[in-house]
Amino acid sequence: MRQEAETARVPSAVVAASGLVGGYGVARWTKRRELGGAVLAVAGAAAARQWRARAGGPAAGALTAAYVAGFAGSHPLAKKVGAWPSVLGVAGAVALASWALADRKA
C-alpha cells in the first residue's frame, strides 16, 4: 500500500510520456521491439489506472485512446519528421492531454 501512495505522486502525464519515450528508446537500443512494447504497455496501464482514479472512466478511456493513437500515429509521422521528433511530439501531446484532464485537478 505504501508503494501505491508513493507512485501516485508521479503525475500521470509523466507516466504516459515516459511510457511512449521509454518504450521507443528500449526498442531502439535493445533492437527488441517486444521489450519496448512491454515498457509501453506497463506505463500505459499505470497511467490508465491513475486516469481512472483522478478523472473517472470516460476521461480514462479517452486518454487511453490518445495514448494508443499517439503510439500508432508516431509511426507515419516519423517518416516525415524523424523518429525521435515524432516520439517526443506525441509524448508531449499525450502528456498535455493527461495534465488537462487528470493531473490539473489533483
Side-chain angles (χ1 to χ4, degrees):
M1 183 166 240
R2 178 183 162 105
Q3 185 179 14
E4 280 184 301
E6 289 177 14
T7 58
R9 293 181 194 158
V10 177
S12 62
V14 172
V15 174
S18 297
L20 290 163
V21 173
Y24 174 69
V26 167
R28 182 176 176 126
W29 289 314
T30 65
K31 300 194 183 337
R32 306 245 349 239
R33 293 178 71 169
E34 64 276 11
L35 292 178
V39 170
L40 181 80
V42 168
R49 185 174 179 191
Q50 288 181 313
W51 293 329
R52 184 165 175 77
R54 293 179 182 170
L63 288 166
T64 300
Y67 186 81
V68 172
F71 166 70
S74 69
H75 291 82
L77 182 60
K79 292 179 181 178
K80 296 187 182 290
V81 300
W84 276 113
S86 173
V87 169
L88 294 173
V90 299
V94 170
L96 181 61
S98 179
W99 174 82
L101 295 177
D103 295 335
R104 180 174 53 152
K105 297 175 185 176

